[in-house]
């Protein structure tokens, strides 16, 4: 899909919390999910469950800022975005490239993100962003989370 940032649309892809390294972001997703499950609804105090997405244009070194939560209403589905031309560079940026003019940081990021998305599209869905998930799992945290979830469920059912 695509996410609007100012007047530009950047490519994104929805991911699982287990596509993210163990830590704050994954735990935040799990806490949101647990809250919704506990309430027995798809709504929470802050609204519907936000989507966890990977923002194309990132590198392995910047992966900690590559994932974010976005409200579903702020995501343009991929097919709709393609029909509007979001998968290609805006004509203004193409003109700057052809003229050899320097690019701003946002423009550089958009160029890189579209290039990265195009490479990913050629892969099977299961292999997309695979290079960003090359991390070791912290199994102790899973034991904690499993224990935490079991204890939460016991408290709820009591």
């Amino acid at each position: 899909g695509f996410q609007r940032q100012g007047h530009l649309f950047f490519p994104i892809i929805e991911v699982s919390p287990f596509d993210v390294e163990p830590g704050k972001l994954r735990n935040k997703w799990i806490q949101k999910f647990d809250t919704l499950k506990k309430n027995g609804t798809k709504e929470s105090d802050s609204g519907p469950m936000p989507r966890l997405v990977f923002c194309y244009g990132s590198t392995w070194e910047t992966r900690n800022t590559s994932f974010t939560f976005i409200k579903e209403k702020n995501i343009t589905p991929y097919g709709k975005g393609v029909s509007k031309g979001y998968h290609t560079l805006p004509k203004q940026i193409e003109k700057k490239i052809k003229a050899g003019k320097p690019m701003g940081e946002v423009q550089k990021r958009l160029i890189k993100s579209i290039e990265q998305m195009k490479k990913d599209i050629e892969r099977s869905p299961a292999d997309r962003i695979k290079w960003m998930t090359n991390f070791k799992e912290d199994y102790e945290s899973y034991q904690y989370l499993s224990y935490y979830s079991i204890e939460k469920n016991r408290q709820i059912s009591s």
Side-chain angles (χ1 to χ4, degrees), residues 19-135:
D19 291 328
V20 179
E21 288 182 80
K24 288 182 183 179
L25 190 63
R26 184 186 289 183
N27 290 345
K28 187 175 178 181
W29 188 95
I30 291 169
Q31 287 171 345
K32 287 177 181 281
F33 182 81
D34 282 348
T35 299
L36 292 175
K37 188 175 177 184
K38 179 180 109 179
N39 294 340
T41 179
K42 292 183 179 179
E43 302 290 323
S44 69
D45 293 338
S46 60
M49 182 76 175
R51 304 299 183 187
L52 178 57
V53 300
F54 169 75
C55 302
Y56 283 106
S58 305
T59 63
W60 178 254
E61 292 75 27
T62 62
R63 70 188 178 279
N64 293 334
T65 59
S66 306
F67 298 91
T68 191
F69 291 103
I70 300 177
K71 292 180 181 179
E72 185 176 12
K73 69 179 185 177
N74 294 333
I75 297 173
T76 301
Y78 181 77
K80 186 175 181 180
V82 168
S83 71
K84 293 183 176 199
Y86 299 163
H87 67 300
T88 60
L89 291 173
K91 293 190 187 317
Q92 295 168 328
I93 294 177
E94 287 181 1
K95 286 179 185 177
K96 280 180 87 171
I97 291 170
K98 288 179 184 174
K101 293 183 178 179
M103 296 289 154
E105 290 304 312
V106 172
Q107 294 167 331
K108 287 178 188 176
R109 190 166 53 91
L110 180 62
I111 292 166
K112 185 174 184 171
S113 67
I114 289 175
E115 288 171 355
Q116 206 174 59
M117 177 203 59
K118 286 182 177 181
K119 286 180 185 174
D120 240 12
I121 289 296
E122 294 173 6
R123 298 181 175 112
S124 71
D127 291 333
R128 294 180 187 156
I129 76 152
K130 195 97 166 166
W131 61 275
M132 281 299 272
T133 61
N134 190 21
F135 53 80

Side-chain angles (χ1 to χ4, degrees), residues 3-18:
Q3 175 195 19
R4 184 181 187 144
Q5 293 179 18
H7 66 283
L8 300 171
F9 286 83
F10 285 78
I12 57 173
I13 186 169
E14 190 170 345
V15 296
S16 156
F18 298 101

